Amino acid sequence: MANVHLFGIRHHGPGSARSLVHALERVQPDVVLIEGPPDANDLIALAAHPQLVPPVALLIYVPNEPRQAVLYPFAHYSPEWQAIQFGLARKLPVRFIDLPQSARLRDPSSEEKSSEDGADETTRDPLAPMAIAAGYSDAERWWDHLVESRAGHDVDVFKAIHEMMSELRGALERPVPLVEQQREAHMRKCIRAATAEGFANIAVVCGAWHTPALADMPSAKSDDALLKGLPKVKIAAAWTPWSYERLSYRSGYGAGIDSPAWYELLWEKHTALGARWMTRAARLLRDEDIPVSSAHVIEACRLADALASVRGRPVPGLAEYNDAAVSVLGSGDALALQLIHRRWHFGDRLGIVPEAFPTAPVQQDLAALQKRLRLPPKAEEKTLDLDLREAIDRERSQLLRRLRLLRIEWGRQQTHSGGRGTFHELWQIGWRPEFAIALIEASRYGHTVEQAATGLLAERSANPGASLASLIELLDDALFADLPSAITTLVAAIENRAAVSVDVLQLLDALPPLANVCRYGNVRGTDVSLVAEILSGLVPRITVGCPAAASHIDEDAARSLWSKLIETNRALEMLGNTDFIDSWRAMLQRVAQSDTAHALITGYAHRILYDASQLDFEALSLAFARSLSPGNEPVVGAHWVEGLLSGSGAVLVHDDRLRDLIDQWVRNATADNFVQVLPLLRRTFAQFPAPERRQIGERLRAGQQLQTTATNIEFDETAARAVLPVLKRIWNLSE
């Protein structure tokens, strides 16, 4: 009979790993069986490659549905990684024995549901009762003090862990979900297979909770019954870089750790832990210009030792050092420590996978681009300032945009605050390991990043439910990402959608972004001739449809149309195309003369025409008098004035005649009419910047003084002061 040695560990536990290595050296097994995905057994041998540097992860996924994927991460101090290295160094067979993911990825939601239904906090974490009984608030901290933070190595710890888990499983009577039963049945099946192959000394490395189920072997027939009929899907596997930050997430093994950097210190430097950990924090705080001295570090270490004694802990753990850091380094305020939390506990460690390892073609293309453009993927976030006049920076911008189209947010574009022009772009970049899944998913669209982005855009442009605005947004992305094939497809889709669109509001939404592309695209070296063709067809449709869109509408619809007209007018002025501007102003002439258009829109049309010298002051005065005549509702006149001023009070500062015209209208309004129009006037004047409101008031006051002197009329100061509160409300003045 074979000797089966069960080593119950905590995934990513440095203490477990240290004891495991010494236990394996003592046992000298013939084969090493590890809780892990058998789908990746062919990749185990690659773990011996000297250029494969943890943290790394095994990515198991369904090729046709890459989003159905699971990751098994490894750090240097992961017991599974050390078991793999032990076996490969001695040329021993090393195998994963967990239930294959080909049977588990068939329906991820069902597995998650089965493991959660009917489970309270105690059953979800079976170690919780032990931790509470020992005086700990959570099982993770208890296990850390019990196993992971122990000094030296204790190979007998595995026997104690097995006995404890056996008692726990018997005492708790925890209901075992079906998938857990199947996992343990498959592990037992693999142990039987190794025994049948003639291995006399078998080492089994698995989660501590499973050791009792693997020690007491039921009949092979019962295990086969549990595994019989499991549906399977085709599975692919690959090594992928991982990061310390992502080690804190639960994936694959279901284990996440609070501070990978602390566990690394436990694994590599088991002496003077506190001094090293506090020194790391002190250096990071100094980088933030927070004064921390060596005396702070010494005092924090002493406080951590005292806390451990008070709490009855054998040695200070992460919680004690964190509390001491807040008290001493942060002077009792955790805010300073929050500034450095990510760098302190995670750092910027990102694993390395050799380029020669099998990957999807799009991953290989991205790796080549990153190397050529000198943009290595790093977990550390940094700001990238690109000058689009330089070829390499332009290509970097195109790559980041293409990846963003593929839902890989490696870079997030930032807003410029220094006004450096359209030829500069700011990006905040930071690589995340889970992008590997998105890259595999992108492989269905092409074998290179460019092909994949083009294919994805083609698919989205063919979506019959895509709105005109969304298609134009895609075109903007395609232009700046330099995807000429996708541009042609999108232009055709936009033209077709615009041709059948009867909603002028959609067309108005489409014009400003297109004009922006046409105006600034050449800075990035993109060909915008196709965009100009779209505009040539879009502007006539807008000018024909706007008068009807402005007629017989309520205030809400008028305000929506008004805001779109303002943006469109700015866009056309920016383009400077005289044909477009002439047809636009001709449309505004028709709107200004319309009896059915909303007063807000007609007032705005008069303002644009007046500014463009297409309407003289006499004609404007006549329109003003007609719109504000006693036969009209006062609200109609207020809307007309609001549209005329259009959010800018500069015209009232510099145009004395227009200012006097509106002033006389306000003066001559009856008491009832004034109360009705006051809210609208206040809203209009509130949009003006404070300096403009102040200048308008000064001009009005100067005009009143001049008029009083010229006519030699006695000035009634009391009556004048009586209206000041009302004027302050109109102009939104604080004084």
Side-chain angles (χ1 to χ4, degrees):
M1 293 293 292
N3 291 321
V4 179
H5 305 276
L6 299 175
F7 300 108
I9 51 88
R10 181 192 188 277
H11 306 297
H12 313 308
S16 297
R18 184 179 296 104
S19 297
L20 175 64
V21 171
H22 289 281
L24 291 174
E25 289 175 348
R26 174 186 292 185
V27 170
Q28 291 298 312
D30 303 321
V31 62
V32 180
L33 306 181
I34 303 171
E35 179 191 338
D39 319 77
N41 275 336
D42 293 340
L43 299 179
I44 291 178
L46 297 178
H49 197 291
Q51 295 180 5
L52 182 65
V53 181
V56 292
L58 279 171
L59 170 62
I60 315 295
Y61 63 96
V62 181
N64 295 332
E65 292 291 338
R67 290 198 175 188
Q68 290 193 27
V70 66
L71 290 137
Y72 289 80
F74 301 89
H76 275 295
Y77 47 76
S78 297
E80 298 88 352
W81 181 260
Q82 290 300 319
I84 291 172
Q85 297 302 317
F86 178 91
L88 294 180
R90 292 159 179 78
K91 296 182 170 49
L92 301 177
V94 181
R95 302 170 186 170
F96 289 131
I97 61 173
D98 204 348
L99 183 66
Q101 287 294 336
S102 58
R104 301 173 67 182
L105 285 176
R106 64 192 186 280
D107 186 7
S109 60
S110 64
E111 179 176 327
E112 182 180 351
K113 183 178 179 181
S114 66
S115 63
E116 300 252 343
D117 285 352
D120 60 17
E121 187 63 31
T122 301
T123 57
R124 280 199 298 266
D125 189 354
L127 299 182
M130 296 287 291
I132 294 172
Y136 289 79
S137 59
D138 62 82
E140 293 293 338
R141 184 177 298 181
W142 169 71
W143 183 272
D144 181 80
H145 281 109
L146 185 71
V147 178
E148 308 308 341
S149 297
R150 289 170 65 93
H153 55 275
D154 184 1
V155 295
D156 294 330
V157 71
F158 296 111
K159 181 179 179 181
I161 289 173
H162 174 71
E163 292 176 355
M164 179 179 65
M165 292 302 172
S166 298
E167 291 296 326
L168 268 177
R169 289 183 71 132
L172 290 177
E173 297 182 353
R174 182 178 186 237
V176 182
L178 177 59
V179 68
E180 291 298 311
Q181 297 179 42
Q182 292 169 337
R183 291 180 62 199
E184 292 172 347
H186 193 272
M187 292 184 202
R188 292 191 293 264
K189 182 177 180 179
C190 292
I191 294 173
R192 293 191 191 97
T195 303
E197 291 180 50
F199 293 112
N201 221 14
I202 302 173
V204 179
V205 180
C206 63
W209 180 256
H210 299 298
T211 59
L214 305 184
D216 300 326
M217 286 276 193
S219 66
K221 184 177 180 180
S222 63
D223 283 344
D224 291 339
L226 279 171
L227 300 173
K228 185 178 180 180
L230 285 177
K232 293 185 178 180
V233 295
K234 185 179 179 181
I235 289 294
W239 285 105
T240 185
W242 207 241
S243 70
Y244 272 1
E245 185 170 11
R246 303 307 291 180
L247 277 176
S248 63
Y249 289 76
R250 296 182 177 272
S251 178
Y253 296 121
I257 53 180
D258 293 333
S259 179
W262 166 255
Y263 269 15
E264 180 186 87
L265 195 60
L266 281 175
W267 171 252
E268 295 180 351
K269 308 285 185 183
H270 204 75
T271 59
L273 276 177
R276 295 177 184 274
W277 186 244
M278 289 301 179
T279 300
R280 176 185 173 91
R283 288 172 177 167
L284 292 172
L285 288 171
R286 287 175 181 174
D287 291 341
E288 297 292 333
D289 294 328
I290 297 175
V292 178
S293 67
S294 56
H296 286 87
V297 173
I298 295 171
E299 186 60 32
C301 292
R302 289 175 177 171
L303 179 57
D305 289 334
L307 285 172
S309 299
V310 170
R311 295 171 180 175
R313 312 293 188 243
V315 292
L318 182 62
E320 285 71 40
Y321 285 118
N322 285 348
D323 291 344
V326 171
S327 297
V328 179
L329 305 186
S331 300
D333 187 357
L335 180 61
L337 276 302
Q338 290 174 3
L339 290 174
I340 65 167
H341 181 272
R342 181 181 176 277
R343 288 172 290 160
W344 190 21
H345 290 275
F346 302 110
D348 56 1
R349 179 73 64 88
L350 184 68
I352 301 174
V353 174
E355 295 181 6
F357 277 25
T359 56
V362 70
Q363 290 177 298
Q364 298 174 10
D365 179 62
L366 176 59
L369 288 170
Q370 289 169 332
K371 186 175 182 179
R372 183 172 65 83
L373 298 176
R374 300 194 292 276
L375 274 180
K378 294 184 178 180
E380 178 187 9
E381 289 195 355
K382 70 173 186 177
T383 301
L384 195 65
D385 190 348
L386 302 180
D387 186 342
L388 300 177
R389 297 168 297 183
E390 300 292 336
I392 187 171
D393 280 356
R394 195 158 54 243
E395 288 189 65
R396 288 170 174 173
S397 172
Q398 291 165 358
L399 175 61
L400 293 172
R401 290 176 180 274
R402 290 172 181 177
L403 290 174
R404 194 167 59 179
L405 286 171
L406 297 173
R407 303 182 183 89
I408 300 172
E409 295 285 344
W410 182 17
R412 297 178 298 279
Q413 194 169 3
Q414 307 295 304
T415 303
H416 268 293
S417 59
R420 302 184 65 181
T422 58
F423 53 82
H424 268 279
E425 285 183 350
L426 276 180
W427 293 82
Q428 191 78 15
I429 63 172
W431 188 261
R432 298 201 299 273
E434 61 268 27
F435 290 157
I437 300 176
L439 282 170
I440 293 172
E441 185 180 7
S443 298
R444 57 187 279 212
Y445 298 106
H447 297 314
T448 66
V449 174
E450 180 179 358
Q451 290 175 359
T454 300
L456 178 62
L457 284 177
E459 179 183 274
R460 295 174 67 181
S461 63
N463 180 10
S467 65
L468 184 60
S470 66
L471 289 175
I472 291 173
E473 184 178 350
L474 290 178
L475 177 62
D476 184 76
D477 291 334
L479 281 164
F480 294 152
D482 193 22
L483 300 171
S485 299
I487 292 171
T488 304
T489 304
L490 283 165
V491 166
I494 291 170
E495 288 178 336
N496 293 335
R497 192 62 48 84
V500 299
S501 176
V502 295
D503 189 352
V504 176
L505 297 182
Q506 282 194 29
L507 300 180
L508 287 169
D509 282 334
L511 193 143
L514 286 175
N516 188 65
V517 170
C518 196
R519 174 65 178 83
Y520 295 114
N522 286 331
V523 176
R524 296 166 174 83
T526 53
D527 182 7
V528 296
S529 57
L530 293 175
V531 180
E533 293 180 11
I534 297 177
L535 286 172
S536 298
L538 199 62
V539 172
R541 291 176 56 81
I542 289 174
T543 56
V544 169
C546 274
S551 299
H552 305 292
I553 56 177
D554 59 17
E555 181 180 351
D556 291 338
R559 291 194 176 279
S560 176
L561 177 60
W562 179 43
S563 63
K564 297 178 190 300
L565 291 176
I566 291 174
E567 293 299 321
T568 302
N569 184 73
R570 290 173 181 167
L572 293 177
E573 293 287 347
M574 175 188 67
L575 278 177
N577 186 305
T578 55
D579 293 335
F580 291 168
I581 292 175
D582 289 345
S583 61
W584 175 254
R585 289 174 180 170
M587 179 274 294
L588 292 175
Q589 287 278 8
R590 296 194 298 273
V591 170
Q593 297 169 6
S594 173
D595 294 330
T596 57
H598 194 277
L600 184 66
I601 306 301
T602 56
Y604 172 72
H606 280 87
R607 167 64 183 274
I608 298 302
L609 295 172
Y610 183 66
D611 286 347
S613 300
Q614 300 289 311
L615 189 71
D616 57 26
F617 182 76
E618 287 71 21
L620 180 64
S621 300
L622 182 61
F624 187 94
R626 184 172 61 249
S627 299
L628 278 69
S629 63
N632 289 331
E633 291 290 334
V635 174
V636 173
H639 280 142
W640 195 93
V641 172
E642 184 179 5
L644 178 70
L645 299 179
S646 299
S648 172
V651 66
L652 295 181
V653 175
H654 302 292
D655 193 323
D656 295 338
R657 294 185 298 176
L658 181 59
R659 184 178 62 251
D660 292 341
L661 187 66
I662 296 177
D663 184 40
Q664 290 301 320
W665 169 63
V666 174
R667 286 171 176 273
N668 296 331
T670 64
D672 292 339
N673 290 351
F674 185 75
V675 171
Q676 286 184 322
V677 301
L678 178 61
L680 291 174
L681 286 174
R682 178 179 174 81
R683 180 169 59 189
T684 300
F685 280 86
Q687 297 173 10
F688 302 160
E692 287 185 357
R693 297 198 302 269
R694 184 174 60 254
Q695 291 182 48
I696 292 171
E698 291 173 352
R699 296 297 175 90
L700 288 171
R701 182 169 61 250
Q704 292 171 2
Q705 293 173 351
L706 180 62
Q707 183 179 5
T708 301
T709 302
T711 56
N712 198 23
I713 298 176
E714 184 177 354
F715 180 72
D716 188 348
E717 184 175 349
T718 302
R721 290 188 178 279
V723 301
L724 287 179
V726 178
L727 291 176
K728 289 178 181 178
R729 292 178 60 191
I730 294 175
W731 294 321
N732 195 26
L733 297 176
S734 58
E735 296 182 357

